[in-house]
Amino acid sequence: MQPIWIGPSIITADLLRLGAEIAAAESAGVDYIHLDVMDGRFVPNISFGLPIAEAVRKATRLPLDVHLMIVEPEKYVERFVEAGADVVTIHVEACVHLHRTLRAIAEAGATPGITLNPGTPLSTLEEVIPLVGEVLVMSVNPGFGGQSFIPLAIDKVRRLRAILDERNPTCRLQVDGGIKASNIRRLIDAGADTFVVGSAVFSPELLVAQAVAELRAAIGEPAIQSVES
Ligand code: DX5
Ligand code: ZN
């Protein structure tokens, strides 16, 4: 089993204090930063794009994990790599030329990731499993932070883990949407190793370091002593 990675989604952060929020997450010991790019067409919401990706790149040395919830992602993947993305994840439902687009991400120097909505079957990934470094199982219908976790994702993770163990064992299995200290352990037991956490980390209730420490405790890992910012 690969080490467990936790990455906050900045869409739920206080965007007026984005630099400070990222610094707090970094000193709390998160493993990467997740950027939710939404175009108002693939999903019913508009978030941010290349200028924010470039700004976040300057704010941290942590890996940037870009989640493209846009139509025609093939038009933008290279530009997000140029903006500093380390992983670029596209939706299987949004891309006609999956093989070509995943190859383009790799050729641009980033890790290609593929994701599917809760209602999309794993079989849609069959032909491209060997090409990716990350498969993202959406555990909410994409478009917003703060939604409730869809428990059906647990069995989907279990089935995907079996496929990856056979066909791409070093590929990361990521889950995104409604992840909390209360459900993360069940997902690890099902085979997930990489988590996006939005409202569980950036919330008015908890300091970022406390929120990350709670997640680490739920995973069974020691919290990282951080200098609270
Ligand atoms: C939803 C996004 C998620 C979301 C995570 O479309 O892809 O990354 O912002 O936020 P929470 O953890 O609050 O569901
Ligand atoms: Zn996301």
Side-chain angles (χ1 to χ4, degrees):
M1 181 105 186
Q2 308 206 65
I4 304 298
W5 285 356
I6 293 175
S9 159
I10 64 163
I11 200 169
T12 53
D14 176 353
L15 295 179
L16 289 178
R17 300 178 47 254
L18 188 52
E21 297 266 66
I22 291 171
E26 189 160 353
S27 65
V30 301
D31 302 290
Y32 64 95
I33 303 291
H34 184 79
L35 277 70
D36 288 308
V37 178
M38 304 176 182
D39 66 352
R41 294 185 59 206
F42 181 72
V43 288
N45 195 7
I46 298 173
S47 62
F48 45 73
L50 290 158
I52 294 289
E54 284 157 6
V56 173
R57 180 68 287 165
K58 293 192 192 104
T60 178
R61 276 196 294 246
L62 288 173
L64 292 192
D65 176 65
V66 173
H67 178 189
L68 294 181
M69 287 163 274
I70 66 173
V71 297
E72 300 175 312
E74 60 275 9
K75 290 186 175 169
Y76 296 96
V77 292
E78 282 103 345
R79 291 174 63 189
F80 276 98
V81 179
E82 283 156 25
D86 299 282
V87 181
V88 177
T89 297
I90 60 174
H91 270 266
V92 67
E93 305 90 350
C95 189
V96 177
H97 300 292
L98 268 184
H99 186 280
R100 180 185 289 146
T101 308
L102 293 168
R103 300 287 309 140
I105 296 168
E107 277 149 25
T111 298
I114 188 82
T115 182
L116 63 183
N117 291 338
T120 305
L122 289 173
S123 57
T124 56
L125 305 180
E126 214 168 302
E127 304 308 323
V128 297
I129 289 280
L131 300 183
V132 295
E134 188 173 89
V135 179
L136 166 55
V137 172
M138 289 304 302
S139 45
V140 294
N141 288 296
F144 305 91
Q147 299 182 84
S148 301
F149 175 75
I150 299 172
L152 287 175
I154 297 173
D155 182 60
K156 199 174 194 176
V157 164
R158 194 171 291 115
R159 287 179 278 126
L160 176 57
R161 170 47 63 201
I163 294 168
L164 291 179
D165 285 351
E166 193 189 320
R167 302 186 56 214
N168 190 350
T170 60
C171 182
R172 285 209 149 252
L173 200 167
Q174 187 182 37
V175 189
D176 182 10
I179 304 296
K180 308 278 180 228
S182 56
N183 57 30
I184 199 168
R185 187 69 242 176
R186 275 183 292 151
L187 288 159
I188 292 169
D189 295 342
D193 53 37
T194 308
F195 296 92
V196 177
V197 277
S199 48
V201 164
F202 297 122
S203 80
E205 284 83 47
L206 276 181
L207 292 169
V208 170
Q210 288 166 322
V212 174
E214 280 192 12
L215 288 160
R216 293 283 184 206
I219 295 170
E221 290 177 356
I224 296 198
Q225 297 314 315
S226 73
V227 181
E228 195 44 57
S229 57

